[in-house]
């Protein structure tokens, strides 16, 4: 299974992301996976979305994020 994770620099950025996209895109707010960071944090996990499409949506809505990661498990 492949997932896309969006990481954020602050919890506030993650919560703003959730507020903006909660009724627009299917995603879950989850802890940042250990393979991405050993520190605490929140990420948005997506199942079926293209990275380029997601990045364009985030940027066009002027939302802050750290990185977008693709992980296959």
């Amino acid at each position: 299974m492949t997932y896309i994770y969006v990481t954020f620099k602050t919890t506030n950025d993650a919560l703003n992301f959730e507020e903006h996209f909660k009724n627009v895109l299917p995603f879950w707010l989850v802890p940042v996976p250990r393979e991405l960071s050993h520190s605490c944090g929140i990420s948005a996990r997506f199942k079926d979305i293209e990275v380029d499409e997601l990045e364009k949506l985030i940027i066009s809505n002027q939302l802050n994020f750290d990185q977008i990661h693709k992980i296959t498990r």
Side-chain angles (χ1 to χ4, degrees):
M1 181 79 41
T2 299
Y3 293 103
I4 306 300
Y5 289 88
V6 179
T7 56
F8 305 94
K9 293 183 180 181
T10 70
T11 300
N12 193 49
D13 290 342
L15 296 176
N16 285 338
F17 182 93
E18 178 185 37
E19 183 63 30
H20 193 83
F21 286 124
K22 69 182 174 186
N23 295 318
V24 178
L25 298 171
F27 69 93
W28 300 267
L29 285 186
V30 298
V32 174
R34 288 286 180 214
E35 52 265 55
L36 300 180
S37 174
H38 291 288
S39 62
C40 295
I42 299 172
S43 63
R45 183 178 79 181
F46 294 83
K47 186 174 173 186
D48 296 316
I49 195 164
E50 293 295 323
V51 172
D52 293 339
E53 176 187 340
L54 179 58
E55 186 172 21
K56 286 177 187 175
L57 278 171
I58 296 168
I59 291 170
S60 69
N61 285 281
Q62 300 177 340
L63 296 172
N64 296 322
F65 71 103
D66 186 29
Q67 294 182 331
I68 299 175
H69 306 270
K70 188 174 188 176
I71 296 177
T72 301
R73 293 189 174 156

